[in-house]
Amino acid sequence: MGTNTKQSDLKKALLLCKDAFIAAAGFSMVINLLMLTPTIYMLQLYDRVLSSRSESTLLMLTLIVIAIYATQGALEWVRSQVLVRVSAKLETLLNTRLYRLSYKRALYSGGQQASSQPLDDLTSLRQFLTGNGLFAFFDAPWLPFYIAVMFLFHPLFGWVAVFSALLLMALAIANEKMTHQDLAEANRLSINGRMQVNSNLKNAEVIESMGMLDNLQQRWLKSSYQVLTLQAKASSRAGLFTGLSKTLRMLLQSLVLGLGAYLAIRQEITPGLMIAGSILLGRALAPIDMLIGSWKGFVLARTQYARLNQLLEQIPADTEKMPLPAPTGQLQVEQVIITPPGSKIPVIKGASFAINAGDSVGIIGPSGAGKSSLVRALLGIWPSANGKIRLDGADIFTWDRMHLGPFIGYLPQDIELFEGSVSENIARFGELNAERVVTAAQMAGVHEMILQLPDGYDSIIGTNGNNLSGGQRQRIALARALYGQPCLVVLDEPNSNLDDQGELALATALQQLKAQHSTVIVVSHRPAILNQLDKLLVLNNGQIAAYGPRNEVLAQLQQANTPVKQGKPQMNSVIPMTSIKA
């Protein structure tokens, strides 16, 4: 079998930035050659200027050194700008992909993995690319060059440089071994802790009302202390290695200076080479010393890279799909089995039924029967484990979601409005068509209520719509579902927060939807709404117990719940009539 050589989007993005990295490496080569300037300058001062006492030679050498340092500084700046731009390009190439990946991850996990962590990882990775840690990686490969120059000074200088480099490399490897596992575990716990805090903040009202804050805080603190302990342990070890490497580097520079003095006494080298050898050894070991000091950032960047790479490989990018003709709203369900994300137990078991375009269908059943799961699958939110759901004959998952979206209206049980104006929320944050916004609001019976808001349709809704009542949020969300006269409208418990006026507006909206031949699916138990619908579908324990015209299904339910003296009940008590609330 052949191996899969397909590259992830992260690797492709880095490959597109290859030329910039090569340019940065080229600048690093010139910069490291120019790093010999202080060594050569020192040699010339000791071996030429002091011996000849020539002020003109000193002046010219100094002017040359100033020019070289100015060039080196300019090259350092250019190299940093190259990496700044390549990091910005990397984020530009991946931010849209990771935004959609985060969305899909939350969608397919049922919200359990709702997190912006991939985007945070990308930002941190971009910041690492512009930090000193990466410069050390560009400079470290030039260590053999500096060692070769030291061999030219004297073989003993070269061997001391080799020993020093091997010693600091051993410290770097030991630092990695001693800190990697603790830092990785601390990072994992920190991410889980942030997700836990975000979940708690979303449920602040529940926590406050039932006095759960202390218990949840203690649970978070326990995790937080674990993170602090692991990070402190890793940082303590890394600090030990960092201090040890700096001490050794300074010691070795001094020892080389002493070695140079010994060789100068024996007249094997000049006094200038004695000083130059010490300076050059310090320059050669500086990148390794910097690597050890910035190792924590490197470990974090490596973890973020691996995490991003794994996610990008697990969740492939959307493939471009050919737009299909505008749907009419005809649905066909073929032996569908639905399993919620993260679960192995199916909640819908082998459902099969058809809904004609323009039908209005109510889905009823006891709690836990799978009603909300079924409508999520009908909309293509949750994938089916088996079977097919077809919209106008095409598998719901073959539709391009951006093309299909305007033809779908959905009102979930948990209402979520987004930060922005009322009109933007109703228009689904697309192109704002004032006439269509008002039409949808009037259809939902919320137009007058919106006009009473401080700025009418331009009133800003806070995060999650917290500045509106539950009924107001539900009715604005209903207007959003009705915007643009969609051909398929799914309403999951649309009257859970409505008063009598809202109920009347909802009934009127259902009549208008029927008049415009939209397919309507309503999950509800209230007879006031069920009386507006053509058909009923009864779910019980994940299976379809009855489906057909409303009056026939209600009659079957009534008969099934009537004691039978002889013979068997027709529906085996599929659903208690008490589940249909008065």
Side-chain angles (χ1 to χ4, degrees):
M1 294 179 64
T3 57
N4 185 9
T5 59
K6 187 177 180 180
Q7 294 178 321
S8 71
D9 289 335
L10 180 56
K11 292 180 180 178
K12 290 178 182 178
L14 288 172
L15 192 61
L16 289 174
C17 299
K18 180 181 67 174
D19 291 342
F21 285 118
I22 292 175
F27 283 115
S28 296
M29 177 186 70
V30 178
I31 290 168
N32 278 275
L33 289 174
L34 296 180
M35 285 290 185
L36 293 174
T37 300
T39 303
I40 297 174
Y41 184 57
M42 183 68 67
L43 277 173
Q44 298 303 315
L45 290 181
Y46 270 89
D47 297 343
R48 289 179 181 271
V49 175
L50 293 181
S51 61
S52 66
R53 299 182 181 275
S54 172
E55 295 181 0
S56 59
T57 302
L58 175 62
L59 176 62
M60 290 305 298
L61 286 173
T62 303
L63 290 175
I64 292 172
V65 166
I66 291 173
I68 291 175
Y69 276 136
T71 302
Q72 180 181 331
L75 291 175
E76 291 268 13
W77 179 81
V78 171
R79 181 176 69 169
S80 67
Q81 293 303 301
V82 168
L83 293 177
V84 166
R85 282 163 173 73
V86 76
S87 66
K89 181 179 180 181
L90 185 66
E91 180 151 350
T92 302
L93 289 170
L94 291 173
N95 54 10
T96 301
R97 171 80 169 91
L98 288 175
Y99 183 91
R100 290 179 176 268
L101 182 147
S102 301
Y103 159 78
K104 278 191 171 183
R105 193 179 178 206
L107 180 66
Y108 294 155
S109 67
Q112 296 177 7
Q113 296 183 5
S115 171
S116 62
Q117 187 63 43
L119 292 170
D120 296 337
D121 284 344
L122 179 62
T123 299
S124 298
L125 199 59
R126 174 179 59 79
Q127 292 171 345
F128 174 77
L129 291 177
T130 59
N132 291 330
L134 189 63
F135 292 149
F137 279 92
F138 278 115
D139 294 338
W142 291 94
L143 175 62
F145 170 74
Y146 292 120
I147 292 177
V149 174
M150 293 196 71
F151 269 107
L152 292 177
F153 288 174
H154 193 280
L156 284 179
F157 277 177
W159 287 117
V160 169
V162 170
F163 171 76
S164 302
L166 292 176
L167 183 60
L168 290 186
M169 286 180 182
L171 286 178
I173 294 172
N175 185 33
E176 151 73 1
K177 297 294 184 182
M178 296 293 287
T179 61
H180 171 68
Q181 186 173 353
D182 288 337
L183 287 175
E185 179 64 13
N187 188 44
R188 185 188 67 81
L189 290 174
S190 178
I191 292 172
N192 291 338
R194 285 199 297 272
M195 293 178 65
Q196 180 182 337
V197 170
N198 290 334
S199 175
N200 292 345
L201 293 176
K202 289 181 180 179
N203 295 281
E205 292 181 0
V206 175
I207 294 171
E208 180 68 16
S209 63
M210 293 188 284
M212 298 166 59
L213 179 60
D214 286 347
N215 295 334
L216 290 173
Q217 180 176 297
Q218 289 301 319
R219 187 176 182 182
W220 170 76
L221 282 174
K222 182 179 179 181
S223 175
S224 180
Y225 288 149
Q226 284 183 287
V227 173
L228 289 175
T229 301
L230 289 169
Q231 287 182 339
K233 184 179 177 183
S235 296
S236 177
R237 291 174 177 174
L240 174 64
F241 286 109
T242 300
L244 187 59
S245 68
K246 288 183 178 179
T247 302
L248 284 174
R249 182 166 63 88
M250 294 173 63
L251 174 62
L252 290 167
Q253 282 185 257
S254 298
L255 291 177
V256 165
L257 191 61
L259 176 63
Y262 171 75
L263 294 174
I265 292 173
R266 292 174 60 89
Q267 296 184 345
E268 295 186 29
I269 61 172
T270 64
L273 284 175
M274 174 185 71
I275 304 296
S278 177
I279 295 175
L280 192 58
L281 180 64
R283 173 56 208 158
L285 300 180
I288 302 178
D289 193 27
M290 188 180 295
L291 281 176
I292 295 174
S294 59
W295 196 258
K296 182 177 178 180
F298 169 72
V299 171
L300 182 61
R302 184 176 62 184
T303 302
Q304 291 162 343
Y305 173 86
R307 191 160 53 227
L308 284 176
N309 203 46
Q310 183 181 21
L311 280 174
L312 288 166
E313 289 177 346
Q314 286 178 347
I315 305 178
D318 291 329
T319 56
E320 188 173 351
K321 298 175 181 177
M322 186 189 78
L324 298 173
T328 62
Q330 182 181 9
L331 282 170
Q332 188 170 355
V333 179
E334 304 169 352
Q335 293 297 319
V336 164
I337 296 175
I338 301 167
T339 303
S343 174
K344 297 181 179 179
I345 302 174
V347 293
I348 299 295
K349 309 161 187 175
S352 294
F353 60 92
I355 300 177
N356 297 323
D359 279 354
S360 56
V361 179
I363 299 179
I364 62 175
S367 297
K371 302 183 295 295
S372 295
S373 299
L374 177 60
V375 297
R376 288 189 182 103
L378 292 177
L379 291 169
I381 299 173
W382 284 4
S384 57
N386 192 34
K388 294 290 184 182
I389 298 174
R390 301 185 183 277
L391 175 63
D392 281 37
D395 189 334
I396 190 70
F397 288 100
T398 64
W399 287 84
D400 180 270
R401 300 306 302 190
M402 297 303 103
H403 173 69
L404 179 61
F407 298 100
I408 302 293
Y410 178 44
L411 179 67
Q413 280 192 46
D414 299 322
I415 304 300
E416 291 288 349
L417 298 179
F418 304 98
E419 189 166 359
S421 68
V422 172
S423 58
E424 287 175 324
N425 271 272
I426 294 176
R428 309 180 183 186
F429 289 87
E431 184 179 351
L432 202 61
N433 186 313
E435 182 179 352
R436 298 173 76 179
V437 168
V438 172
T439 298
Q442 290 174 334
M443 194 171 177
V446 76
H447 174 68
E448 297 298 331
M449 184 274 287
I450 293 175
L451 294 180
Q452 299 301 315
L453 295 175
D455 296 312
Y457 282 90
D458 295 321
S459 298
I460 299 299
I461 297 175
T463 304
N464 298 325
N466 291 333
N467 54 339
L468 298 173
S469 69
Q472 288 174 324
R473 290 200 302 270
Q474 191 162 37
R475 293 172 71 180
I476 290 175
L478 176 60
R480 179 180 63 190
L482 302 179
Y483 178 78
Q485 296 185 342
C487 69
L488 174 61
V489 178
V490 178
L491 310 175
D492 194 352
E493 299 288 356
N495 51 356
S496 57
N497 294 312
L498 298 183
D499 54 17
D500 291 340
Q501 184 180 357
E503 289 265 12
L504 181 60
L506 178 59
T508 303
L510 291 174
Q511 292 173 3
Q512 291 178 303
L513 286 170
K514 187 181 296 185
Q516 68 186 31
H517 302 292
S518 295
T519 302
V520 180
I521 299 173
V522 180
V523 177
S524 182
H525 294 143
R526 297 189 179 182
I529 291 184
L530 298 181
N531 291 335
Q532 303 290 327
L533 306 175
D534 301 328
K535 297 179 179 179
L536 287 181
L537 186 150
V538 182
L539 276 178
N540 189 36
N541 195 28
Q543 295 179 325
I544 297 177
Y547 178 53
R550 181 191 68 243
N551 293 335
E552 291 183 11
V553 172
L554 289 176
Q556 290 177 22
L557 288 176
Q558 185 66 42
Q559 185 177 1
N561 285 273
T562 300
V564 180
K565 294 182 179 180
Q566 296 180 350
K568 296 181 181 180
Q570 292 184 5
M571 295 184 63
N572 196 24
S573 298
V574 292
I575 176 175
M577 289 296 290
T578 53
S579 67
I580 303 178
K581 300 176 183 177

